[in-house]
Amino acid sequence: MPAYPWLFILKENPTMDDVVVAVPEEFLKDKTKKVVATEDALNLIAYLQSLKQTEMPTGDNFPEFLYKRNAKSAAVASSAGGGETPEVIAADGVALYATNCQACHQQNGKGLPGAFPSLAGSKIVLDENPEIFVDIIMNGYNARANEGYGPMPNVGTMANLTAEEITAIMNHEKTSWGNDAKTVTVDEIQKVIDKVKK
């Protein structure tokens, strides 16, 4: 798990309004300063505390997520004129991204320096061949060894994402934050998933 130092500041003399984190002295590099939570840290904690918790120890209840699957199967829309039209993805790429990717790569797609890579301008996201992109989503990737970022888990497998959901996420990433890449189809992504699945 990466560190989150940008959520805290060091102060010699915290004010009455500051929330001081009780860090044991042996873990402080500068023992003359106190660790103070930023507004972002406090907002994150408030959000996490607001989430519906799984009942323990049975585990029967599950938390509600930002993205809820539609019971209907995704359909490919066709025009009344009978001509060929691009397929319409029923899955919500923005909501799926927020649920599965945003915590690390951020809402603006720029990641966090030293922790998570930017998807804006990413050669993997912009590549017309989606195989590496899908492989990372399905099987994860240890970026620490090569690029110095934290490892990415196999989100697609862990969240049991469908080809349609992965397509929606990829197309959101390919067309957001200044990215202007060719989008992908469900059929295309399903073939790649079948190929890279471990």
Side-chain angles (χ1 to χ4, degrees), residues 67-184:
Y67 174 77
K68 293 181 181 178
R69 282 198 169 97
N70 191 331
K72 296 180 189 175
S73 61
V76 176
S78 58
S79 68
E84 283 190 25
T85 60
E87 68 182 341
V88 175
I89 307 298
D92 183 345
V94 175
L96 281 159
Y97 176 84
T99 302
N100 297 286
C101 316
Q102 186 170 298
C104 296
H105 297 290
Q106 304 301 293
Q107 186 175 8
N108 63 9
K110 293 188 177 176
L112 293 168
F116 309 111
S118 174
L119 300 178
S122 163
K123 63 182 181 181
I124 291 170
V125 173
L126 298 175
D127 195 339
E128 286 194 16
N129 181 348
E131 191 168 323
I132 293 173
F133 198 172
V134 174
D135 187 38
I136 291 172
I137 292 171
M138 294 305 295
N139 300 313
Y141 178 66
N142 186 0
R144 188 166 306 286
N146 301 314
E147 290 94 22
Y149 293 110
M152 175 166 160
N154 54 340
V155 174
T157 304
M158 286 173 23
N160 200 25
L161 296 176
T162 65
E164 183 187 41
E165 290 166 335
I166 291 171
T167 301
I169 291 171
M170 290 176 67
N171 285 339
H172 170 65
E173 293 177 4
K174 284 175 170 288
T175 58
S176 299
W177 321 300
N179 290 346
D180 188 21
K182 180 184 171 202
T183 56
V184 290

